């Protein structure tokens, strides 16, 4: 497999780069803050010194950037893509990825969106859930690459279908975490032992594994070392609400949750694990 260009080496991007190199793939990296690529460079990755030359020696270009506008701007700097496939893995809106897909086509490239569910641990173990959107032929050509990161990457449909699927899932992250926090706050105030409540919940149809995953963090009020931050959850929920409005859906039940997450802006909670929203479900 030829060299892969990895654009964006934050928490998830770095883990993706590590996994690809473990699978024997040569990786060239670029990040807006160059120091964040150092661990990959130390592990053997090549540095991309100028974005306009990134496509020349790479078979595919993976972007793992914060949002749609940033991705669009960075991809524009790649210049002529010379038929290369660009694989955006960051979460963005349906309109954003559609616009990016058109831009990539104008740059003589091909777009295969591949947003993922999971973060650093799943990337390192190759167990991300990959939801690809694009031409079936592009998916087939890039399937072996995606299989390095996912046990079974799924081709959802055309460009935009992956983004819609990812936003639908991330909405559930926000809603489930919020609802679990409220329930936990109530039973604690009522004097119900947490483990009694959890034993009942675990045997019911209402249980979701994320509850146990976040329980101890909430009990300890410890949200350090996030794999997914409160700020990113807020960004993705806002995108979901925008898409819901466009689709003619009744979104009022979620606007309050977005307002709640807005309260984290400018506080330490924003850069902490998203279940820090537990601190917001109590009236000040």
């Amino acid at each position: 497999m030829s060299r892969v260009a990895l654009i964006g080496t934050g928490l998830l991007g770095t883990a993706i780069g590590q996994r690809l190199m473990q699978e024997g793939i040569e990786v060239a990296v670029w990040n807006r803050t160059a120091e964040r690529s150092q661990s990959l460079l130390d592990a053997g990755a090549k540095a991309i010194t100028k974005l306009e030359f990134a496509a020349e020696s790479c078979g595919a270009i993976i972007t793992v950037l914060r949002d749609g506008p940033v991705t669009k701007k960075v991809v524009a700097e790649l210049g002529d893509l010379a038929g290369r496939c660009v694989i955006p893995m960051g979460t963005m809106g349906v309109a954003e990825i559609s616009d990016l897909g058109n831009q990539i086509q104008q740059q003589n490239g091909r777009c295969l969106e591949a947003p993922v569910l999971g973060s650093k641990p799943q990337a390192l173990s190759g167990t991300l859930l990959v939801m690809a959107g694009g031409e079936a032929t592009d998916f087939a050509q890039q399937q072996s690459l995606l299989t390095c990161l996912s046990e079974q990457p799924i081709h959802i449909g055309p460009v935009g279908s992956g983004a819609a699927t990812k936003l639908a899932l991330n909405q559930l992250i926000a809603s489930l975490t919020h609802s679990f926090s409220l329930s936990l706050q109530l039973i604690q105030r009522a004097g119900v032992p947490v483990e009694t409540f959890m034993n009942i919940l675990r045997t019911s149809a209402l249980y979701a594994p994320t509850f146990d995953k976040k329980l101890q963090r909430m009990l300890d009020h410890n949200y350090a070392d996030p794999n997914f931050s409160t700020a990113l959850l807020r960004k993705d929920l806002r995108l979901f609400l925008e898409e819901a409005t466009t689709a003619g859906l009744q979104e009022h039940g979620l606007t309050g949750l977005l307002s709640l997450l807005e309260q984290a802006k400018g506080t330490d909670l924003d850069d902490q694990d998203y279940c820090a929203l537990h601190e917001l479900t109590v009236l000040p």
Side-chain angles (χ1 to χ4, degrees), residues 172-191:
L172 288 174
I173 294 175
S175 295
L176 286 170
T177 305
H178 179 231
S179 61
F180 181 59
S181 172
L182 284 172
S183 293
L184 191 59
Q185 299 278 23
L186 180 62
I187 64 108
Q188 286 182 297
R189 280 157 180 72

Side-chain angles (χ1 to χ4, degrees), residues 85-98:
C85 186
V86 179
I87 307 174
M89 288 190 159
T91 304
M92 60 186 77
V94 176
E96 289 177 336
I97 187 58
S98 296

